[in-house]
Every structure is written in structure tokens, then in C-alpha cells.
């Protein structure tokens, strides 16, 4: 399976996963507390420069971020229709900064490190008997592993339509994409149970 992690030795790669996740949480809170479009714009530019410093490349960055930015543009347009232009700009900058920062964190943190830190963070809840920390960590890890696989399947189905001379349509792509994803999820769940990775009930 592909992963969102990109090998490197830069500043973000050298930071511990715990520090990066803590900074991401703090920055997310700050972005939603700030209302000034100009300040949010500076934040979006700063996170854009941070992401560019990873040297992932324009094409690969576009493949990673295009779905996010299409969604952000749609949300900003919706805000423009029902609210003021200032609020729409604020939403666009806020979500763009958050998306770029989160993408920088996922690109410089391995899935194993994510699982370790999420499991550690969920340990207090396990002591209260609310959840199993290892299961929470495993769930987050699987989500991170599934994202690039889903994007690859989407592109493969789209390419198959074009190769057959068919115009790709949302419904004709989403249905097989959901079926393939659910099938793969069922196979992974069976493999996890067969290896007794999660607790059996």
C-alpha cells in the first residue's frame, strides 16, 4: 500500500511526532479563533511556504491537495452566497492554512509514529474503561493508509472510463470506488482478526 509519508531530512522530519501533533492542534485552535482575513492570509502563505519546503514537487502536491482545495473552494463559495465576502475570504484562508499544515505533518510523520502517539493520547480514556487505546491508534493508522489508496483507485477508475471512450461521471466513478473500498476494508478486517491484532469479543 502507498503512504502519505515522504522521505526527507528537513526540519519537519526531525521534529518528533508528538511535537508536530501538538503544534497542529494549537495552530488549528488559533486559526479558528482568528477572524482577521489579513492575518489568516499571512497564515495561509506561511503554511504554504512550510509545505513547499518539503520539496514534494508541484505535480505530486497537486495530486495530494486537489481534493482538499476543491472542497475548500466549494465551502468558501457557499459562505459567499449566504454570508459576506469578508467571511468567505476568511474561510478560504483559514481552511487552506489548516489543510497545508495538516498535509505537511502527514507528509513528514510515518504511520507507525501516528499510531504510537494516538495510542498514547488515548491511554487515559482506556484507564477510564471508555475505549481500547490500541484500537484507536490502529483505526487512525488505517485511515491514513487508506487515503492514498482511495485516490489511486479513483484515478484508475477514471482512466478506465477514458480508455473505453466513456465520459467519467460522478455516479459511475463513486459506485465502483465505494464497492472496491468496502471490499478492501473487509479483507483488512479479516486479516487483523486472523492475526489477533485487536481484542476478540
Amino acid at each position: 500500500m502507498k503512504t502519505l509519508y515522504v522521505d526527507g531530512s528537513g526540519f519537519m522530519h526531525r521534529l518528533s511526532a508528538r511535537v508536530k501533533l501538538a503544534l497542529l492542534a494549537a495552530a488549528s485552535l488559533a486559526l479558528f479563533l482568528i477572524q482577521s482575513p489579513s492575518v489568516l492570509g499571512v497564515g495561509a502563505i506561511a503554511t504554504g511556504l512550510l509545505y513547499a519546503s518539503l520539496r514534494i514537487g508541484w505535480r505530486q502536491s497537486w495530486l495530494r491537495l486537489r481534493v482538499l482545495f476543491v472542497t475548500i473552494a466549494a465551502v468558501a463559495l457557499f459562505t459567499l452566497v449566504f454570508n459576506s465576502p469578508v467571511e468567505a475570504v476568511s474561510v478560504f484562508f483559514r481552511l487552506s492554512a489548516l489543510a497545508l499544515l495538516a498535509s505537511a505533518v502527514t507528509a513528514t510523520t510515518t504511520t507507525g509514529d501516528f499510531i504510537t502517539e494516538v495510542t498514547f493520547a488515548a491511554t487515559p480514556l482506556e484507564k477510564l474503561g471508555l475505549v481500547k487505546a490500541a484500537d484507536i491508534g490502529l483505526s487512525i493508522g488505517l485511515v491514513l493508509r487508506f487515503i492514498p489508496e482511495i485516490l489511486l483507485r479513483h484515478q484508475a477508475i477514471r482512466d478506465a472510463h477514458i480508455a473505453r471512450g466513456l465520459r467519467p461521471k460522478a455516479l459511475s466513478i463513486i459506485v465502483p470506488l465505494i464497492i472496491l473500498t468496502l471490499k478492501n476494508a473487509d479483507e483488512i478486517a479479516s486479516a487483523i482478526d486472523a492475526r489477533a491484532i485487536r481484542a476478540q469479543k
Side-chain angles (χ1 to χ4, degrees):
M1 297 179 73
K2 289 181 66 64
T3 175
L4 294 173
Y5 177 74
V6 177
D7 288 323
S9 58
F11 171 72
M12 287 290 289
H13 284 87
R14 294 194 299 271
L15 280 179
S16 71
R18 188 167 303 177
V19 171
K20 284 185 282 191
L21 290 175
L23 290 175
L24 177 60
S28 301
L29 179 61
L31 286 170
F32 279 94
L33 290 176
I34 295 172
Q35 301 300 323
S36 171
S38 57
V39 176
L40 291 170
V42 171
I45 293 172
T47 52
L49 293 174
L50 176 65
Y51 189 86
S53 70
L54 303 180
R55 300 183 183 279
I56 295 176
W58 289 107
R59 183 178 184 279
Q60 189 62 30
S61 295
W62 168 245
L63 292 175
R64 285 167 167 259
L65 300 172
R66 60 181 178 181
V67 175
L68 282 173
F69 277 102
V70 167
T71 304
I72 290 171
V75 173
L77 181 60
F78 183 85
T79 305
L80 178 62
V81 171
F82 292 96
N83 295 286
S84 67
V86 173
E87 291 181 8
V89 171
S90 296
V91 166
F92 179 79
F93 284 148
R94 180 181 294 115
L95 295 182
S96 295
L98 184 57
L100 288 166
L101 184 57
S103 297
V105 171
T106 55
T108 57
T109 308
T110 64
T111 303
D113 287 339
F114 266 116
I115 292 175
T116 299
E117 295 306 323
V118 171
T119 301
F120 174 79
T123 300
L125 298 178
E126 183 176 32
K127 291 180 178 179
L128 295 174
L130 299 176
V131 298
K132 288 187 177 296
D135 288 351
I136 298 296
L138 178 62
S139 300
I140 297 298
L142 288 175
V143 169
L144 292 174
R145 295 289 284 182
F146 258 104
I147 292 173
E149 290 298 315
I150 292 173
L151 293 177
L152 281 176
R153 288 196 187 99
H154 178 275
Q155 188 61 44
I157 295 171
R158 180 182 176 85
D159 291 343
H161 277 68
I162 296 174
R164 290 173 173 81
L166 302 174
R167 182 180 178 182
K169 296 181 180 179
L171 188 61
S172 63
I173 291 178
I174 290 175
V175 172
L177 180 63
I178 292 174
I179 293 173
L180 288 172
T181 302
L182 291 176
K183 181 180 179 181
N184 192 211
D186 188 56
E187 292 172 351
I188 292 175
S190 298
I192 289 172
D193 287 336
R195 291 166 175 79
I197 295 177
R198 59 183 178 182
Q200 301 291 327
K201 296 183 181 180

